[in-house]
Amino acid sequence: MNALLHNPIADMYGPDFLLFYCSVIAIAFVVCWQLIQDPTKNQPLPLIPAEPDPHEIAYLRSQETGIADVALFDLIVRGYLQVNEQSISQVPNHPDVSQLEPIEREVFDRLSSSSTAKTSLWLATQSIQSYSNAYEEKLQNEQLLYASQWQERNIKVGLIAAMIIFSLGGYKLLIALGKGRYNVGFLIAIGGLSIIFLLWFVSRHTHLSYRGKVYLQQLQATFSRLQQKVKYDIPSVFDYNLLVALFGVEALAGTSYDSYYKAFFPSIFLRTASKLESSYGSSSSMCSSGCRLSDSSSSDSSRSSSSNSGTNSSCSSSSGCSSSCSSSSDSGSSCSSSSCSSSSCGGGGCGGCGGG
Amino acid sequence: MLSHLPTLGVGLGFREPFKSDLFLNRQQVDFLEIVAEHYLDASWQKQQELELLAAHFPIIPHAINLSLGSAEGLDTDYLRKLAALIKQLNPPWWSEHICFTKAGGVDIGHLSPLPYTQEAVEVLCRNIAEVRRWIDVPLILENITYMVKLPGAEMTEAQFLAEVVERSDCGLLLDITNLHTNAVNYAYDVHEFLQQLPSDRIVQLHFVGGHWHDGVLIDSHSQSTPVEVWQLMEEVVARVPVKGIILERDENLPPFAELTKELQKARDISRSYGRWG
């Protein structure tokens, strides 16, 4: 008993103990941080598949909602569903449903009546649960998702560290109170806050493992050009699906499926539109960041370089963007340096590369 | 030594604008050629890009600014960076141009032709020997186009190319578009030219289309491959077991399907002569 009441820690002068206590907390944090490292951190990334599966990528990015997004949008692109302002409904004379994949058929059948975009997405998400399990399992096997057992281990580590901090602080608190010292607010605050922070620290994680995050970033970087392709080129249904899988519905802003984007983000659209109207009047021939005043429904208009074609397209033909050369038949005499940078000219002008 | 190089097939000169399409059509591209200069002082993003490409394709570095024809010698700083890049990629071979791009410490920014003289051969061989002290990966040399014929030639261009690759023990990267362009602009017989080249040293081909400007054919890498170049490819592939063929499109990029169509055509030509499966 005497040893419990009189030992180096119990007899330690208050400020010295606080310093010691802070050191213990810091060490606990460092050890915790090391022990809860994602085990996939040093693993090589999987190769990008020769035929990427948009549903799988969509699950990687945003789980069931991602798959539902892709399935919904795919049905719209292929003429099974239609968007009317904020609602999504079946097209009366839609193509033959036998051409649909099971996952798409489920979504299509679920959307038998017209509903808002958000509700449609919720219904689609409900209908693809059984399919998403298969994707989850596959991605889990590839260690691209954060495993539940890693989380359990992290919580254990956190609780042990919290127990150490709590025990040491609690012990000193009891000793102090026993000695009639009540200036213990700082000790309680440090102990309490550090435990709260520690438990938050060990329990926070996304659905992706480190490997999954980096792999998704690699996929997004690899296919980033799809964002330009759907605006200025002739994309396929697959291109669209992959775009939505990788970047979400937001990537459709300014494309010929802008109306679909607006159905999901009406508030953003209306807010930006009113801002633009108040600033510039109703004609919008400027480059902005992803909203349009004119509603383009034809793919032709979205591919044109005129000013009504959306957010970025008016830049495309005038500002000498990096892709400007791709539409110029002149081999670069009018190119900016960007075009040359990707050519094999020896750092010189375009066109006159002399034979590279 | 060159006969032991691996056969790579038909590939593309990598350009960032078609990266997405490239990965969506991987089966149709056997290997990639990268412009070495894009990765010498690479940003983190470019380094990531290079690693991504190297993980998915065999890569051949294609240098532009080494200036093998510079009488003053090579830029060792540049050479060190290039050596590091080639070491990182460990390719079966790498390539440069038979030209000079630097003179008197000034970067011309242009692939400039050399006079077809013994002195120029000596300069090239001396510089290539220096390169070999840094890089032990086989080097293949490319013929260039030129807007001017330098006076004082002691031999033909074909003889000059042959002498350089023989004496320096390098392979030849035969750019058949450059060959066609020069033949058109200077009215020489391309078949006779081919006869003078050491066919056993031709390792790789480049092909693409250029455009006409004021009656001159410009090697702008901006058009689809003309019929004359396809015929040249047939002629070369019939004679030579080339290890790789690269489509080198830089500008006025068409839909990727057009590029893969050209790759398939080159592949069909190669297969028709039993060059690879």
Side-chain angles (χ1 to χ4, degrees), chain A residues 47-50 218 221-223 225 229 238 325-326 328-329 331-332 341-344 346 348 351-356, chain B residues 15-17 20-21 23 26 38 52 55-56 64 97 109-111 142 145 175 178 211 218-221 248 250-252:
Chain A
L47 288 181
I48 291 170
Q218 187 182 68
T222 301
F223 296 112
R225 283 273 168 179
K229 190 177 180 180
F238 179 82
C325 287
S326 66
S328 114
S329 58
S331 69
S341 69
S342 65
S343 76
S344 52
C353 305
Chain B
R15 306 294 176 254
E16 202 276 333
S20 300
D21 286 313
F23 275 87
R26 253 170 55 206
H38 293 174
L52 176 77
H56 292 81
I64 287 166
H97 302 81
H110 197 88
L111 306 179
E142 183 181 0
T145 55
D175 190 319
N178 289 353
H211 75 284
I218 305 289
D219 168 44
S220 54
H221 299 192
E248 208 184 19
D250 286 312
E251 313 225 332
N252 185 28

